Amino acid sequence: MDDSSSLVVERNIVNHVETSDDVSTMVEKEASDLDQQKAFDRTQKQDYIPKASQETVEKLTQGLLDHFLPEAVKAKTSLEELTSNQEILLETIQHENAKFLDCHPMGSLTETMTKARQYRARLLDVKKDMAALHEKSAKLKKRALKLQQQKQKEALQKEQQRERELERERQLMAKPARKH
């Protein structure tokens, strides 16, 4: 072999070595790129949501509505009833509050109660006085009756005494003699 051929062979070998180094680098790079692509594809597959047909979407929507709509309607009805009851209760409470506000102030009620206590105390005093007067009048009537009975007894005794004295005087008076 001559020098020029050997030189070409050396160059080819060097090129081949350089190319093989490049090739191995390229292969490594391709392998790395392939690994990255596979990892990206796996991530994409996990995040991937397939497109659904319009019919599937409608069926799923109808199923979801069928499942939750009756409970939602019941909840809505219950809430409307509760709201209605609360409004009625609020109205009743406001009406009762208005009644209390229309009543006389508490001061006049307190004043009336104080007067009632005073009148009751006076009434009890009058009642005691009446009972005492009744008792005194009963005692006086009893005493008057006794005095009247005693005076009648004395008057009767005086009358009897006078009759006895008259009878005695008549007996003492001379009797005309009788002719026989």
Side-chain angles (χ1 to χ4, degrees):
M1 275 194 160
D2 64 0
D3 280 336
S4 73
S5 297
S6 75
L7 196 65
V8 170
V9 171
E10 276 182 31
R11 269 194 207 155
N12 282 339
I13 293 175
V14 169
N15 278 341
H16 183 62
V17 169
E18 283 179 2
T19 308
S20 66
D21 283 342
D22 284 343
V23 167
S24 66
T25 306
M26 283 172 58
V27 167
E28 287 175 7
K29 187 176 181 187
E30 283 292 321
S32 172
D33 286 346
L34 187 61
D35 287 344
Q36 286 177 355
Q37 184 63 37
K38 284 180 183 177
F40 179 75
D41 287 345
R42 269 187 258 126
T43 315
Q44 288 293 44
K45 283 181 182 178
Q46 290 172 356
D47 292 344
Y48 176 70
I49 300 173
K51 294 262 182 185
S53 68
Q54 183 67 27
E55 181 184 348
T56 306
V57 170
E58 286 177 10
K59 285 182 180 178
L60 287 173
T61 304
Q62 189 61 41
L64 187 66
L65 285 175
D66 289 345
H67 183 72
F68 289 109
L69 191 61
E71 290 180 28
V73 168
K74 283 181 187 176
K76 180 182 177 185
T77 305
S78 295
L79 286 173
E80 286 173 351
E81 184 179 335
L82 181 63
T83 303
S84 172
N85 288 341
Q86 284 178 340
E87 287 173 357
I88 291 169
L89 183 61
L90 181 62
E91 201 173 288
T92 304
I93 289 173
Q94 287 174 345
H95 182 69
E96 291 300 319
N97 282 342
K99 281 183 184 178
F100 282 121
L101 292 176
D102 289 343
C103 290
H104 295 291
M106 192 64 165
S108 67
L109 178 63
T110 305
E111 183 180 320
T112 303
M113 292 302 291
T114 304
K115 284 182 180 179
R117 275 190 231 115
Q118 290 172 348
Y119 291 148
R120 184 175 185 276
R122 286 182 189 172
L123 179 64
L124 290 175
D125 289 342
V126 168
K127 194 174 180 181
K128 284 179 189 177
D129 291 344
M130 294 278 291
L133 289 174
H134 179 69
E135 190 177 319
K136 283 182 182 179
S137 70
K139 285 181 182 179
L140 286 174
K141 283 181 183 178
K142 192 175 183 181
R143 186 171 176 210
L145 184 63
K146 281 183 182 179
L147 286 173
Q148 186 180 8
Q149 288 174 351
Q150 189 175 1
K151 281 189 177 185
Q152 285 176 353
K153 193 175 182 183
E154 286 176 5
L156 183 64
Q157 285 176 353
K158 278 185 183 180
E159 187 65 34
Q160 287 176 352
Q161 180 71 26
R162 204 181 318 157
E163 281 182 19
R164 276 186 256 147
E165 284 179 17
L166 281 173
E167 186 64 37
R168 195 168 180 210
E169 273 183 36
R170 264 192 263 153
Q171 285 178 358
L172 287 177
M173 255 194 193
K175 290 186 186 181
R178 282 191 198 168
K179 290 187 187 180
H180 294 256

